[in-house]
Amino acid sequence: MAGIHAALDGTATIQPPHLVAAAAFIRYAVDSARAVFRKADPVLAQLAAFIREAGPQGRTRTEITSDFFQGNAKKPRIDALLERLVADQTIARTQRRPEGRKGGRATDIVIAHEHYELTNNAPDQDKP
């Protein structure tokens, strides 16, 4: 693939930009194949929309369990759906510290990927 990009540029040598373009093309092809051949799960799309609707503050696990599933889904099913959304880079996981007090357990939050950069740079987020 990099050789084709180099040939299209009219050069006999493969340069780093050709490798970058080839890698991007391969990622696009793999993602497209996944999208086409993956079994469609309407609940997955609805869950992604539910998380996206929350905006930059995201959704807690409790909100997903009680508000989206109305308590009618078991933990393994919810975990599998969330893992699939993370793997597809539809959502990102982060944590939020309790407001107004120090210490305490952080709350796990899932945020739609398009909102993640906004919250990932927030001052209350722990950096790895």
Side-chain angles (χ1 to χ4, degrees):
M1 201 39 60
I4 292 171
H5 282 89
L8 289 171
D9 277 347
T11 178
T13 59
I14 296 173
Q15 305 285 328
H18 303 128
L19 294 170
V20 170
F25 179 81
I26 297 298
R27 279 191 301 275
Y28 177 78
V30 169
D31 290 344
S32 296
R34 275 193 194 123
V36 169
F37 295 111
R38 178 175 281 165
K39 182 180 173 186
D41 185 346
V43 174
L44 190 69
Q46 293 167 354
L47 178 58
F50 177 74
I51 294 167
R52 192 176 310 109
E53 288 168 2
Q57 76 264 11
R59 300 278 187 186
T60 65
R61 179 58 177 259
T62 302
E63 290 174 321
I64 291 169
T65 302
S66 62
D67 297 346
F68 183 77
F69 288 105
Q70 287 88 37
N72 293 321
K74 298 192 184 241
K75 184 181 183 318
R77 168 79 169 139
I78 296 170
D79 287 343
L81 290 169
L82 292 175
E83 286 303 319
R84 196 159 151 195
L85 291 172
V86 168
D88 291 346
Q89 296 183 352
T90 303
I91 66 169
R93 290 183 180 202
T94 189
Q95 292 186 332
R96 184 178 301 137
R97 295 273 170 219
E99 293 183 28
R101 59 189 164 116
K102 292 185 179 183
R105 187 173 175 187
T107 302
D108 291 326
I109 305 290
V110 290
I111 301 170
H113 204 273
E114 61 262 27
H115 300 297
Y116 180 66
E117 285 302 316
L118 298 173
T119 58
N120 192 38
N121 295 320
D124 67 338
Q125 299 300 312
D126 292 329
K127 303 291 189 241

